[in-house]
């Protein structure tokens, strides 16, 4: 396998590794994790607000099982 075949076969993995190294070096992973947590919190809050009764019955059933 020559270099051109290697590059065409593993180009996505190589680019992913380079991006991951840059994120770790610049400590952007802290910021990315914070943004993901905020977005998930907003989505969960919106879902609970839109489906109050369903969430209430599921939560009650879950607590009763415990």
């Amino acid at each position: 396998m020559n270099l051109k075949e290697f590059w065409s076969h593993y180009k996505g993995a190589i680019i992913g590794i380079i991006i991951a190294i840059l994120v770790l070096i610049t400590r952007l992973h802290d910021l990315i994790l914070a943004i993901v947590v905020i977005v998930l919190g907003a989505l969960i809050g919106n879902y609970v607000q839109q489906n109050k009764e369903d969430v209430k019955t599921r939560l009650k059933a879950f607590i009763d099982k415990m």
Side-chain angles (χ1 to χ4, degrees):
M1 178 182 290
N2 63 19
L3 187 61
K4 187 174 180 179
E5 289 174 0
F6 182 82
W7 173 253
S8 67
H9 193 259
Y10 295 107
K11 142 174 71 175
I14 294 169
I15 292 172
I17 289 170
I18 292 170
I19 291 173
I21 290 171
L22 288 175
V23 166
L24 289 174
I25 289 173
T26 59
R27 301 198 43 87
L28 283 176
H29 59 280
D30 294 335
L31 176 63
I32 293 169
L33 181 63
I35 291 171
V36 167
V37 168
I38 290 170
V39 169
L40 283 176
L43 291 174
I44 291 170
N46 186 40
Y47 177 80
V48 169
Q49 182 181 5
Q50 299 295 326
N51 304 300
K52 286 179 190 174
E53 293 302 319
D54 186 38
V55 171
K56 193 183 298 183
T57 57
R58 286 185 185 186
L59 188 59
K60 186 177 184 308
F62 177 74
I63 291 173
D64 290 341
K65 286 182 182 179
M66 294 176 89

